[in-house]
Amino acid sequence: MLQKVFLILLLGNIMLADFTTLSTSAVQEEIKKGTVLIDIRREDEWSHYGIIEGSHKITFFDNYGKYDINKWMEQFVKIVKTKKQKFILVCAHANRTKIVGNFLKNELKYENVFELDGGINYGWIDKGLSTVK
């Protein structure tokens, strides 16, 4: 069922985020507060660019754009334990986070969904901030 709902959402006009995009400095402040970061990129991207230290790695889309929403949600709910818990999604350029964030906010009713503006490439690395591998 979740697979069908996500596909419908994916096919609709979902690039307009219905959740909050955070600046690099705002994400840094949230990290200090202990807010969860979830990096949804692929393993090859993590290996090449690294991750923001402390991020949880849960790949959403594979190299072909395929996904397994049920498998991903099994991992996600181990990290984000309630629908009120604040979390920040991270991907390469903030395109995938818009898709996943809209799904979590609009379809599954998570209340505190955020993303890193520009993703890790433009919102973190290009700002001179470090990553870990």
Side-chain angles (χ1 to χ4, degrees):
M1 178 62 184
L2 283 178
Q3 196 82 6
K4 289 179 185 177
V5 170
F6 188 76
L7 182 59
I8 291 167
L9 184 62
L10 183 62
L11 295 175
N13 182 11
I14 55 175
M15 291 312 288
L16 299 173
D18 189 27
F19 56 94
T20 304
T21 299
L22 297 176
S23 68
T24 305
S25 59
V27 169
Q28 289 174 304
E29 288 302 314
E30 290 299 326
I31 290 169
K32 290 177 188 173
K33 295 177 188 175
T35 301
V36 170
L37 270 73
I38 301 174
D39 192 320
I40 65 171
R41 295 175 299 143
R42 298 181 314 271
E43 188 168 338
D44 62 306
E45 294 173 294
W46 298 326
S47 296
H48 187 266
Y49 295 102
I51 64 168
I52 298 171
E53 189 169 5
S55 294
H56 297 271
K57 300 184 288 186
I58 313 176
T59 297
F60 196 89
F61 294 104
D62 68 13
N63 290 346
Y64 305 102
K66 294 181 182 179
Y67 57 88
D68 183 338
I69 188 70
N70 293 319
K71 181 179 175 185
W72 192 84
M73 287 301 299
E74 284 176 16
Q75 296 175 0
F76 177 79
V77 298
K78 292 177 184 174
I79 300 163
V80 178
K81 302 197 185 303
T82 71
K83 295 204 178 195
K84 292 181 185 273
Q85 182 180 341
K86 184 185 284 188
F87 60 93
I88 302 167
L89 297 172
V90 177
C91 70
H93 304 105
N95 294 321
R96 289 171 278 186
T97 55
K98 285 179 181 38
I99 295 167
V100 175
N102 278 325
F103 174 72
L104 292 169
K105 172 104 173 150
N106 297 325
E107 300 302 317
L108 299 184
K109 307 302 182 201
Y110 280 85
E111 297 176 19
N112 291 296
V113 182
F114 297 86
E115 71 171 345
L116 169 60
D117 187 30
I120 198 163
N121 289 358
Y122 300 129
W124 197 264
I125 295 170
D126 280 6
K127 305 271 192 276
L129 298 169
S130 64
T131 60
V132 296
K133 293 190 179 184

